[in-house]
């Protein structure tokens, strides 16, 4: 039995902690904040509750596996999960509305044909079919296995723009096409293009620079479905925390780690802000890899040939602006859980999010807005009220922090959301604008292509006994990917650094 110190109580860190405890290790988690869950936060006021991070779960099998491997109680006995149907409704700039059913390829084809005209569904389905090939080629190396030492092979885009030989292909062809280029070439209808690009934007990616293989994002959602935990996504974080506690994982909150202790060339514990040292044979760091190097006091956790932490020159990811709305009046029975209201000028939106100065946006431009109105009595004080959450992509605030311009963006978001909730602004009892922190961006999942620019630092480090876990490490962000990161790290520690993943 080894002593293992875990830095942070995010979803990936807690998933790793629970798995390691079941394997017989003594696990202690040190979280500098006051609670667990990382990005799966909650805002509560006056009987209303809102998710402040991702609003839906995709790939629920990740957490089903976690609960099966860490105890007798399955996930569904700890969290009430429901498929969201329709999975989403899209309101396009011309006023067209397309409700898309959950996890039904045939249903999506029919819905798109009905909303956008004959042939639209087949064009979308053909693209998703090609995305499946990219998914099949990259699922294991990007999601289920530790990052390959020869990670540069993942720099070749798996999207089959042209038929090529081998895993990622070595023949001639447009191997560096972006998602936006694929959308224009294969979809042609501006509404279908907006549909595809909105998936990238939701994960913080600029479709003009994201690889064509980012088409796996709508494939993943359409194939495995969209799920909502009763009580919101925070309920999933609570369930994972409770499972870790049941497996005897120790949690200490308000405990900031200020250094990683080394002894005889390997990680040997953590130093805390109050001067204490927690000794351990293994350290799992569930924090931004860029911070890990600082805790190692000059020793580089990743070598020059590894995927390096932090953005590369020219890279830019989006942040998420969240607006919580407490509404008067009951939620209509036919209300859609998730509606995406598309901007009338996607080019201006992308320029504002990815091409402008940090923290700025044209206050006159309407962003693409995701409107969440869950049919969940736990989110509101009574049946005569409704809790609605609006989210939109914005440029990460600069060092000065959020600016007044974000309040104007919030106004535009509410205006756009009228397309999903008629009479919305007249129903507002109060609103709370939750801007991203300075420099904070959405941690997107790892993607193949573009010479590896969209990969995340590997879970193994060059310092023996030190591992990285969570949304900014391999295989990237989002609740499902963070959970897979925890599974990979636990596999490496339990089975050794030559472990290649589950079969």
């Amino acid at each position: 039995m080894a002593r293992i110190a875990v830095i942070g109580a995010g979803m990936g860190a807690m998933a790793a902690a629970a798995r390691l405890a079941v394997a017989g290790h003594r696990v202690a988690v040190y979280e500098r904040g006051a609670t667990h869950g990382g990005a799966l936060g909650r805002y509560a006021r006056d009987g209303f509750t809102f998710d402040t991070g991702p609003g839906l779960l995709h790939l629920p099998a990740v957490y089903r596996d976690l609960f099966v491997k860490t105890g007798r109680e399955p996930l569904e006995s700890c969290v009430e999960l429901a498929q969201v149907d329709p999975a989403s409704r899209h309101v396009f700039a011309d006023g067209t509305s397309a409700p898309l059913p959950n996890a039904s390829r045939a249903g999506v084809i029919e819905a798109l044909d009905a909303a956008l005209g004959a042939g639209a569904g087949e064009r979308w389905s053909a693209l998703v079919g090609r995305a499946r090939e990219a998914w099949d080629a990259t699922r294991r190396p990007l999601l289920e296995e530790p990052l390959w030492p020869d990670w540069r092979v993942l720099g070749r885009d798996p999207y089959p723009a042209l038929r090529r030989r081998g895993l990622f292909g070595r023949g001639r062809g447009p191997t560096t096409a972006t998602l936006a280029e694929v959308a224009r070439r294969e979809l042609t209808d501006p509404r279908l293009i907006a549909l595809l690009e909105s998936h990238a934007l939701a994960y913080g990616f600029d479709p003009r620079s994201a690889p064509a293989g980012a088409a796996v994002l709508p494939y993943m959602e359409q194939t495995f479905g969209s799920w909502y935990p009763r009580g919101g996504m925070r309920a999933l974080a609570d369930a994972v925390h409770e499972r870790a506690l049941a497996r005897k994982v120790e949690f200490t909150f308000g405990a900031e780690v200020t250094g990683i202790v080394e002894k005889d060339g390997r990680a040997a514990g953590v130093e805390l802000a109050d001067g204490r040292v927690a000794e351990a044979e293994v350290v799992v760091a569930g924090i931004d890899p860029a911070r890990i190097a600082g805790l190692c006091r000059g020793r580089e956790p990743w070598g020059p040939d590894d995927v390096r932490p932090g953005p590369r020159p020219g890279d830019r990811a989006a942040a998420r602006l969240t607006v919580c709305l407490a509404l008067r009046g009951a939620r209509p029975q036919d209300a859609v859980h998730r509606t995406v209201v598309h901007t009338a000028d996607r080019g201006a939106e992308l320029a504002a999010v990815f091409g402008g100065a940090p923290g700025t946006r044209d206050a006159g431009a309407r962003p693409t807005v995701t409107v969440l109105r869950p049919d969940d009595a736990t989110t509101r004080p009574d049946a005569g009220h409704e809790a609605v959450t609006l989210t939109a992509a914005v440029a990460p605030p600069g060092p000065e922090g959020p600016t007044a311009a974000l309040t104007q963006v919030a106004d535009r978001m509410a205006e756009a959301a009228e397309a999903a909730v008629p009479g919305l602004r007249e129903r507002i009892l109060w609103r709370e604008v939750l801007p991203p922190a300075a420099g904070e961006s959405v941690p997107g999942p790892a993607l193949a292509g573009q010479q590896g620019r969209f990969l995340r630092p590997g879970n193994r480090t060059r310092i023996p006994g030190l591992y990285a876990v969570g949304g900014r490490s391999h295989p990237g962000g989002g609740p499902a990917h963070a959970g897979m990161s925890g599974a990979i790290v636990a596999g490496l520690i339990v089975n050794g650094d030559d472990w290649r993943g589950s079969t």
Side-chain angles (χ1 to χ4, degrees), residues 15 18-19 61-71 240 243:
R19 290 176 181 271
V62 173
Y63 288 95
R64 290 188 178 119
D65 180 73
L66 170 65
F67 276 72
V68 166
K69 298 291 177 57
T70 58
V240 175
R243 175 53 55 89

Side-chain angles (χ1 to χ4, degrees), residues 149 151-152 301-308 312 458 460-462:
W151 56 267
R152 286 179 177 81
W302 289 274
D305 296 327
D306 297 326
V307 177
R308 305 289 291 173
R312 303 183 188 187
R460 286 177 295 225
T461 74
R462 296 295 178 96

Side-chain angles (χ1 to χ4, degrees), residues 8 51 69 134 195 208 234 254 260 294 300 318 343 390:
D51 283 324
K69 298 291 177 57
L195 174 61
R208 302 169 303 179
R234 178 66 187 186
I260 294 174
E300 288 292 338
T343 181
L390 313 181

Side-chain angles (χ1 to χ4, degrees), residues 5-75:
V6 179
I7 306 172
M11 295 301 286
M14 290 196 297
R19 290 176 181 271
L20 290 167
V22 167
H25 299 294
R26 180 180 174 184
V27 184
V29 176
Y30 301 92
E31 165 60 51
R32 68 178 178 178
T35 188
H36 57 273
L40 299 190
R42 173 184 287 153
Y43 180 78
R45 174 181 163 188
D46 300 338
F48 294 88
T49 62
F50 307 85
D51 283 324
T52 61
L56 292 171
L57 175 64
H58 309 297
L59 287 174
V62 173
Y63 288 95
R64 290 188 178 119
D65 180 73
L66 170 65
F67 276 72
V68 166
K69 298 291 177 57
T70 58
R72 296 181 180 179
E73 306 85 4
L75 174 64

Side-chain angles (χ1 to χ4, degrees), residues 28 89 101 181 236 325:
R89 179 166 69 104
E181 291 167 343
L236 177 64
L325 300 177

